[in-house]
Amino acid sequence: MNFFQLEYFMVLAETLNYTKASEKLHITQPNLSKVIVNLERTIGCQLFIRSKREVQLTHAGEVFYEEIKKTMSSYHNAVRKTQEMENGTSG
């Protein structure tokens, strides 16, 4: 599992639309689909229910989303604090 997989998962979970998510991420839909399938294989459960017309989070996907949202927030806070320290705006 890597950062990009988690970021791609988050965007798809928030948009619930492969077209919108791939546009937002500046990648192709097939690449996004591959990343999500690989992520599901890595964690061993299905995160999305896919049909021709819609995408929904599974219950496991909802739980994973809430937990990853916390992780991503912590990551972004760590980057921000590090940059502030480096720039001298925090002490």
Side-chain angles (χ1 to χ4, degrees):
M1 188 175 330
N2 64 49
F3 180 81
F4 290 110
Q5 286 177 310
L6 299 179
E7 182 180 14
Y8 293 3
F9 166 79
M10 291 287 295
V11 172
L12 183 57
E14 291 167 357
T15 62
L16 295 176
N17 184 296
Y18 274 89
T19 301
K20 289 178 184 175
S22 62
E23 287 172 356
K24 188 172 183 176
L25 294 164
H26 305 289
I27 64 170
T28 64
Q29 286 178 303
N31 283 342
L32 176 58
S33 183
K34 286 177 190 175
V35 168
I36 297 300
V37 167
N38 286 337
L39 177 61
E40 289 175 327
R41 284 187 191 139
T42 299
I43 64 173
C45 65
Q46 186 176 357
L47 300 172
F48 294 97
I49 300 168
R50 302 157 182 89
S51 70
K52 296 252 183 205
R53 297 184 187 235
E54 67 180 2
V55 177
Q56 298 177 2
L57 283 167
T58 62
H59 181 65
E62 291 172 1
V63 170
F64 191 68
Y65 173 76
E66 290 302 321
E67 295 303 316
I68 293 304
K69 190 163 60 168
K70 295 173 196 174
T71 301
M72 297 299 271
S73 179
S74 293
Y75 166 79
H76 290 296
N77 284 336
V79 169
R80 181 184 48 79
K81 287 180 181 181
T82 303
Q83 290 170 337
E84 287 174 355
M85 189 66 111
E86 180 68 20
N87 295 332
T89 58
S90 176

